[in-house]
Amino acid sequence: MTCDLKIAFDAHGPELRRYLRYRLRDSHMASDLVQDTFLRVIERPETRVDDVRAYLYTIARNLLLNHKKQEARRRTDSVPHEWLGDIAADAPTPEDAADARLQLERLQRFVSELPVRTQQIFVLNRVDGLTQPEVARALSISESSVQKHLAMAIQHVTQRLRTR
């Protein structure tokens, strides 16, 4: 089709431009998409085409759809400033922050009731995020010892939370 490209452009280019301009309401973008249509044809010289006009319209329609999708993604609609107050904030409400603080204080109180070694293991694992093997290495104890202390700590905290 490459040798017939100029003929195809002369025969179908103006028609494609009118089609795209009608759909876009933008003559500059319509001209750009016509050029992109023929560029696609040039990029695929091995494509066998029986109906050149239909082939060009298919490419142009796909480019038009892609253009409209990109425009929709880029579009930002302005809204009145009053509406922005209805958007939920990422920050917790003062009530939620106070509640979280109270829950944290309760948890700290329950953990402080544990033996010192169990407290250390619990904090290293649950607060600092160390794995059980890492806790064992850090404290020079066995992993099974870490597991036993964690089980004891979790059981104690769970019971205390239930009794409130």
Side-chain angles (χ1 to χ4, degrees), residues 67-149:
H67 172 74
K68 288 190 175 204
K69 286 177 188 175
Q70 286 177 349
E71 267 190 345
R73 278 193 297 264
R74 277 190 237 122
R75 187 175 314 133
T76 56
D77 297 325
S78 61
V79 296
H81 292 289
E82 300 83 42
W83 291 9
L84 297 177
D86 295 337
I87 297 174
D90 288 341
T93 64
E95 294 84 12
D96 290 340
D99 187 45
R101 233 183 344 272
L102 289 173
Q103 288 180 12
L104 182 59
E105 289 171 3
R106 281 182 57 219
L107 180 61
Q108 287 173 332
R109 190 173 58 250
F110 298 158
V111 171
S112 70
E113 296 168 356
L114 294 166
V116 175
R117 183 58 128 198
T118 306
Q119 287 179 38
Q120 289 174 322
I121 293 169
F122 183 82
V123 169
L124 286 171
N125 180 256
R126 297 299 167 130
V127 178
D128 295 340
L130 272 63
T131 63
Q132 291 180 11
E134 291 171 335
V135 172
R137 279 193 299 278
L139 299 177
S140 301
I141 59 175
S142 68
E143 285 183 46
S144 67
S145 185
V146 170
Q147 291 170 354
K148 289 175 189 170
H149 281 280

Side-chain angles (χ1 to χ4, degrees), residues 9 13 16-37 63-64 67 71:
F9 186 80
L16 280 173
R17 192 172 296 104
R18 281 191 303 277
Y19 165 78
L20 292 168
R21 186 174 49 235
Y22 175 77
R23 297 267 191 249
L24 291 167
R25 307 279 187 235
D26 181 346
S27 60
H28 295 293
M29 183 52 65
S31 294
D32 288 348
L33 291 182
V34 169
Q35 289 177 359
D36 289 346
T37 299
L63 290 170
L64 173 66
H67 172 74
E71 267 190 345

